[in-house]
Amino acid sequence: MKIHPTLLQRAAILLAIGLLGGCASVSSTDSGAIGLDRKQYFSDGVRKRVLTDAAKGYNENLTKALTHRAVNADAKATQRVVNITNRLIPHAKAFRAEAVDWQWEVNVLSVDQVNAYCMAGGKIMIYTGLLDAVQSDDELAAVIGHEIAHALRDHTAEKISTRSRNNSVASGLGSVLSIGLALTTGINLHKTAQDVSQLGAHAMANLPNSRELEHEADRMGLELMARAGYNPMAAAAFWRRSIEASAKEGQANKSAFWSTHPSGGDRVNDILAIAPKVQPLYQDATAAAKTKTEATK
């Protein structure tokens, strides 16, 4: 039996279509002033599932923390976090209009660890270790804005979809290669393997990596804080210090904030490069705040 190589190529194309069939190419947010335009891929139903799981997980963690009296123990620190978050949330509409109406919640957990997170749907937790690490409200706004950006962009759902799709692609490519090897008569096996490799590269091309998502959250967070009247340059200062902290700590503490938030020099450079786009927003916000203050005198 003689099989023409193009038949295998067609099979590869059909496989690619099948693998992509369970994922939607969308953008969970608008582009904002930073010009965010990357398309995302989500498995069917994963965003809704993550939203439900996030609410459940957050409530469970909160209940455990309350039993140990480890939530909002410092009223002044809690109010500081609430005030900053309340300034940031209204500007979520620049990326995702309906997010303003999420059931937002913010709490401060008494844990001596530099950490913070915002779950899908707007459930925020700030660790007291982070409050000790930042040197200003602007820096704290940078971190909170960064975490809010992850939620706005549905990064958790996207990462779950990516892992699922990676597994499907790997399995599917193995099947195509097996078919190619089985139908060897008249087929150039080197060309067959090459076709399969090209399919793999094509299928993986639009899958984001963790560093890309972190940069995306940095940029979105930068715009959120600028719109809220916080100096975007504070973000560069915080991450620059995190590089030093990460270098000192090394691999000793896997749970540290910077173990899940890559802090290489390219991160600071990226922030500095995008800052000019959001600086006018910061200037407008500070001018508006000044006018409002003067009007109340």
Side-chain angles (χ1 to χ4, degrees):
M1 179 173 59
K2 187 173 183 179
I3 307 296
H4 197 277
T6 55
L7 293 180
L8 183 63
Q9 293 170 347
R10 291 173 186 171
I13 292 172
L14 290 174
L15 170 65
I17 294 173
L19 292 173
L20 297 178
C23 294
S25 174
V26 300
S27 183
S28 59
T29 62
D30 293 329
S31 59
I34 59 174
L36 185 65
D37 60 1
R38 182 180 66 84
K39 293 296 183 182
Q40 300 170 279
Y41 293 85
F42 296 103
S43 299
D44 292 340
V46 70
R47 296 168 78 183
K48 184 177 181 179
R49 187 168 70 250
V50 166
L51 188 64
T52 300
D53 290 346
K56 180 180 178 181
Y58 188 83
N59 288 334
E60 289 177 353
N61 290 337
L62 196 58
T63 298
K64 291 178 182 178
L66 285 169
T67 61
H68 293 88
R69 298 182 180 179
V71 179
N72 304 331
D74 186 333
K76 185 177 180 180
T78 300
Q79 192 58 55
R80 178 191 182 194
V81 171
V82 169
N83 290 343
I84 293 173
T85 304
N86 283 342
R87 279 177 58 176
L88 291 167
I89 289 173
H91 300 288
K93 64 184 179 182
F95 293 103
R96 192 167 175 173
E98 77 274 14
V100 177
D101 297 322
W102 283 356
Q103 297 301 306
W104 292 90
E105 184 175 351
V106 58
N107 289 283
V108 177
L109 186 63
S110 298
V111 175
D112 187 20
Q113 185 183 83
V114 181
N115 206 357
Y117 62 80
C118 179
M119 290 185 167
K123 306 300 183 183
I124 301 171
M125 188 72 77
I126 306 298
Y127 289 30
T128 52
L130 174 63
L131 301 184
D132 295 332
V134 297
Q135 295 184 353
S136 66
D137 284 358
D138 297 86
E139 288 190 3
L140 185 53
V143 177
I144 297 175
H146 170 98
E147 298 303 327
I148 288 175
H150 278 308
L152 293 176
R153 195 68 173 153
D154 281 327
H155 279 162
T156 297
E158 186 175 10
K159 284 191 283 188
I160 291 173
S161 300
T162 296
R163 285 197 295 268
S164 175
R165 190 172 166 204
N166 274 337
N167 292 337
S168 296
V169 169
S171 176
L173 291 178
S175 298
V176 169
L177 187 55
S178 296
I179 293 171
L181 292 174
L183 303 176
T184 57
T185 307
I187 294 181
N188 183 330
L189 289 183
H190 175 73
K191 182 64 166 61
T192 297
Q194 191 176 54
D195 288 340
V196 173
S197 296
Q198 289 175 349
L199 169 64
H202 175 74
M204 299 291 187
N206 292 312
L207 297 182
N209 56 45
S210 295
R211 189 169 294 276
E212 181 176 15
L213 300 187
E214 286 301 309
H215 280 307
E216 200 165 79
D218 282 344
R219 295 166 187 169
M220 292 175 66
L222 212 64
E223 179 166 342
L224 290 174
M225 68 183 296
R227 288 181 180 277
Y230 292 106
N231 189 347
M233 297 308 296
F238 174 80
W239 290 113
R240 190 176 287 114
R241 287 203 315 280
S242 82
I243 295 172
E244 299 173 0
S246 179
K248 290 179 181 178
E249 188 168 288
Q251 298 298 312
N253 186 356
K254 292 288 188 179
S255 63
F257 183 70
W258 35 83
S259 70
T260 53
H261 294 73
S263 55
D266 60 331
R267 181 172 213 152
V268 174
N269 292 335
D270 186 63
I271 289 173
L272 293 176
I274 207 75
K277 290 187 176 183
V278 302
Q279 197 66 24
L281 300 175
Y282 169 61
Q283 293 170 347
D284 290 345
T286 52
K290 183 178 179 180
T291 299
K292 184 178 180 179
T293 299
E294 291 176 347
T296 58
K297 290 182 179 179

